[in-house]
Amino acid sequence: LQLLLLGCLWLLAAPPALSIFQRPTGSPAPPRLQYLLEPLHSTVHTQRGATATLPCVLRALPRNYRVKWSKVEPANYRESIIIITNGLYHKNYGPLSPRVSLRHSHRYDASLTITGVALEDEGRYRCQLVNGLEDESVSLTLHLEGVVFPYQPSNGRYKFNYHEAKRACEQQDSRLATYQQLYKAWTEGLDWCNAGWILDGTVHYPIINSREPCGGRLLLPGVRSYGARDKQKDRFDAFCFTSALQGSQVYFIRGHLNFKEAGQACRNHGATIAKVGQLYSAWKFSQLDRCDGGWLADGSVRYPITTPRQRCGGLPDPGVRSFGFPSKEMRTYGTYCFAGK
């Protein structure tokens, strides 16, 4: 029994190798699945804070097999191991380790369950059956419905290197957007002239209406690219991605408050002053619509408009409007508060 246990643990303790999902151009297609069932749906839709299950079911149990779950990291397109099981024992790896488990509702079930889904959990996952020369796998995508927004600091445009942009998004309850997220936002109407970092270290800007200050009128609309840039030296804005958080609420407190008083007003209600990502999320998913400028946690003043009207800025499209970063001593604005779970 001890030898059997040691052998099982040895199988699980094998160091997680790194690889890339993409096959080289011209390589043969993967063989037809023999042991794994093709999932009915390759995309699993979920919300931040929820529990999500990525299906992986075997049609038969080969001898001496392992199932390995991994995730492709959009920042470098490399694959990181999440969990390995041989059907009897399992071992978790990496930062997802505390929040993942195998559903194992029956002996053929190797589905992966993620609790407390976070922004960084979105992406592509692979369930791989490791069985000697007959390895096979299925790929799935975990999708969070979200919103992309451009972000720059109080001292103006083009101030972030890559690492500062990444940190700035995280401080505003968001993360750097992936190219796919930025592209989807462009198809939904995001039009922004300033270039910004995204998660893979490249720099882009989305244009709906071609115009002179944004590359000229002759260039077609699209997500225009500066390509990969020096993450330390080059400076741009940031494109951040956020999503709705289950059980949360953003609301406005009217008043003539300076920045310090705005924070205290939220705390008096058992809440915190809202972050930029939280206001965008409430605008996108809760249809928050107010003409009132309000303080946010980064010292900016903004207001969300879902139904454009003349007296609320006069712009024809919905959006989160900004008054920039006024003096924190000004007693002109109310405040937007965030109440989480």
Side-chain angles (χ1 to χ4, degrees), residues 7 25 39 44 64 69 76 98 128 139 155 207 209 226 242 249 256 305 340:
T25 303
V44 174
N64 302 321
W69 274 100
N76 52 26
Q128 181 182 11
S139 292
N155 57 342
I207 293 296
N209 302 306
Y226 287 10
T242 193
Q249 179 190 14
H256 298 283
I305 296 295

Short mmCIF file of all heavy atoms in Angstrom, two decimals, residues 7 25 39 44 64 69 76 98 128 139 155 207 209 226 242 249 256 305 340:
data_model
loop_
_atom_site.label_atom_id
_atom_site.label_comp_id
_atom_site.label_asym_id
_atom_site.label_seq_id
_atom_site.Cartn_x
_atom_site.Cartn_y
_atom_site.Cartn_z
N GLY A 7 3.89 5.77 -5.46
CA GLY A 7 3.85 5.82 -6.92
C GLY A 7 2.83 6.82 -7.42
O GLY A 7 3.08 7.57 -8.36
N THR A 25 2.28 26.31 -38.18
CA THR A 25 1.57 26.34 -39.46
C THR A 25 1.94 25.13 -40.30
O THR A 25 3.10 24.77 -40.43
CB THR A 25 1.93 27.63 -40.22
OG1 THR A 25 1.61 28.74 -39.39
CG2 THR A 25 1.17 27.72 -41.53
N PRO A 39 -16.75 18.81 -25.81
CA PRO A 39 -17.78 19.55 -25.05
C PRO A 39 -18.87 20.08 -25.98
O PRO A 39 -18.61 20.43 -27.14
CB PRO A 39 -16.99 20.69 -24.40
CG PRO A 39 -15.76 20.83 -25.21
CD PRO A 39 -15.44 19.47 -25.75
N VAL A 44 -17.72 28.95 -21.82
CA VAL A 44 -18.50 28.99 -20.59
C VAL A 44 -18.63 30.45 -20.17
O VAL A 44 -17.63 31.13 -19.96
CB VAL A 44 -17.84 28.16 -19.47
CG1 VAL A 44 -18.60 28.33 -18.15
CG2 VAL A 44 -17.77 26.69 -19.88
N ASN A 64 -3.34 3.77 -16.42
CA ASN A 64 -2.20 4.64 -16.07
C ASN A 64 -2.28 6.02 -16.74
O ASN A 64 -1.32 6.50 -17.31
CB ASN A 64 -0.87 3.97 -16.46
CG ASN A 64 -0.70 2.62 -15.79
OD1 ASN A 64 -1.07 2.46 -14.62
ND2 ASN A 64 -0.18 1.66 -16.52
N TRP A 69 -5.06 19.93 -16.29
CA TRP A 69 -5.72 21.18 -16.65
C TRP A 69 -4.67 22.30 -16.69
O TRP A 69 -3.83 22.40 -15.81
CB TRP A 69 -6.79 21.55 -15.63
CG TRP A 69 -8.13 20.93 -15.88
CD1 TRP A 69 -8.66 19.84 -15.27
CD2 TRP A 69 -9.13 21.41 -16.79
NE1 TRP A 69 -9.92 19.58 -15.75
CE2 TRP A 69 -10.24 20.54 -16.68
CE3 TRP A 69 -9.19 22.46 -17.69
CZ2 TRP A 69 -11.40 20.70 -17.44
CZ3 TRP A 69 -10.34 22.64 -18.45
CH2 TRP A 69 -11.44 21.76 -18.31
N ASN A 76 1.71 36.36 -22.05
CA ASN A 76 2.89 35.80 -22.73
C ASN A 76 2.54 34.57 -23.59
O ASN A 76 3.43 33.97 -24.18
CB ASN A 76 3.95 35.39 -21.69
CG ASN A 76 3.39 34.49 -20.60
OD1 ASN A 76 2.40 33.77 -20.81
ND2 ASN A 76 4.01 34.54 -19.44
N PRO A 98 -5.85 27.83 -4.76
CA PRO A 98 -6.83 27.82 -3.66
C PRO A 98 -8.29 27.83 -4.12
O PRO A 98 -9.18 27.54 -3.33
CB PRO A 98 -6.50 29.11 -2.89
CG PRO A 98 -5.17 29.56 -3.38
CD PRO A 98 -5.06 29.06 -4.78
N GLN A 128 -6.22 18.09 -20.75
CA GLN A 128 -5.40 17.17 -21.53
C GLN A 128 -5.35 15.81 -20.85
O GLN A 128 -5.04 15.70 -19.66
CB GLN A 128 -3.98 17.72 -21.68
CG GLN A 128 -3.06 16.82 -22.49
CD GLN A 128 -1.65 17.37 -22.58
OE1 GLN A 128 -1.30 18.31 -21.88
NE2 GLN A 128 -0.83 16.79 -23.45
N SER A 139 -10.10 22.14 -25.66
CA SER A 139 -9.88 23.52 -25.22
C SER A 139 -11.22 24.19 -24.99
O SER A 139 -12.19 23.97 -25.73
CB SER A 139 -9.09 24.30 -26.27
OG SER A 139 -7.77 23.81 -26.37
N ASN A 155 -1.77 63.49 -13.98
CA ASN A 155 -0.75 64.37 -14.56
C ASN A 155 -0.70 64.31 -16.08
O ASN A 155 0.26 64.75 -16.69
CB ASN A 155 0.63 64.07 -13.97
CG ASN A 155 1.06 62.63 -14.17
OD1 ASN A 155 0.24 61.76 -14.43
ND2 ASN A 155 2.35 62.38 -14.04
N ILE A 207 -10.41 53.36 -33.30
CA ILE A 207 -11.00 54.52 -33.98
C ILE A 207 -12.25 54.09 -34.75
O ILE A 207 -12.19 53.20 -35.61
CB ILE A 207 -9.98 55.16 -34.95
CG1 ILE A 207 -8.82 55.78 -34.16
CG2 ILE A 207 -10.66 56.23 -35.82
CD1 ILE A 207 -9.21 56.92 -33.26
N ASN A 209 -14.46 56.87 -35.90
CA ASN A 209 -14.59 58.00 -36.82
C ASN A 209 -13.20 58.51 -37.18
O ASN A 209 -12.52 59.14 -36.36
CB ASN A 209 -15.41 59.11 -36.17
CG ASN A 209 -16.80 58.65 -35.75
OD1 ASN A 209 -17.54 58.12 -36.58
ND2 ASN A 209 -17.13 58.80 -34.47
N TYR A 226 0.53 50.20 -32.51
CA TYR A 226 1.93 50.59 -32.46
C TYR A 226 2.83 49.36 -32.27
O TYR A 226 4.04 49.49 -32.18
CB TYR A 226 2.18 51.55 -31.29
CG TYR A 226 1.65 52.95 -31.46
CD1 TYR A 226 0.82 53.30 -32.51
CD2 TYR A 226 2.00 53.94 -30.55
CE1 TYR A 226 0.34 54.59 -32.65
CE2 TYR A 226 1.53 55.24 -30.68
CZ TYR A 226 0.69 55.56 -31.73
OH TYR A 226 0.22 56.84 -31.86
N THR A 242 -12.98 45.71 -16.99
CA THR A 242 -13.63 45.35 -15.74
C THR A 242 -14.94 44.65 -16.04
O THR A 242 -15.41 44.64 -17.18
CB THR A 242 -13.86 46.57 -14.83
OG1 THR A 242 -14.22 46.12 -13.52
CG2 THR A 242 -14.95 47.48 -15.39
N GLN A 249 -23.09 47.29 -5.56
CA GLN A 249 -23.92 48.41 -6.00
C GLN A 249 -23.09 49.69 -5.98
O GLN A 249 -22.28 49.90 -5.07
CB GLN A 249 -25.14 48.56 -5.07
CG GLN A 249 -26.05 49.73 -5.43
CD GLN A 249 -27.11 49.99 -4.37
OE1 GLN A 249 -27.01 49.49 -3.25
NE2 GLN A 249 -28.10 50.79 -4.70
N HIS A 256 -22.21 69.14 -1.79
CA HIS A 256 -21.09 69.97 -2.21
C HIS A 256 -19.90 69.58 -1.34
O HIS A 256 -19.66 70.18 -0.28
CB HIS A 256 -21.44 71.46 -2.08
CG HIS A 256 -22.59 71.87 -2.95
ND1 HIS A 256 -22.45 72.08 -4.30
CD2 HIS A 256 -23.91 72.06 -2.67
CE1 HIS A 256 -23.62 72.41 -4.83
NE2 HIS A 256 -24.53 72.41 -3.86
N ILE A 305 -23.68 58.24 -18.18
CA ILE A 305 -24.86 58.57 -18.97
C ILE A 305 -25.22 57.38 -19.87
O ILE A 305 -24.43 56.98 -20.72
CB ILE A 305 -24.62 59.82 -19.85
CG1 ILE A 305 -24.39 61.05 -18.98
CG2 ILE A 305 -25.80 60.05 -20.80
CD1 ILE A 305 -25.59 61.47 -18.15
N GLY A 340 -20.01 46.69 -1.64
CA GLY A 340 -19.78 45.34 -2.08
C GLY A 340 -20.55 44.35 -1.23
O GLY A 340 -21.46 44.70 -0.47
#
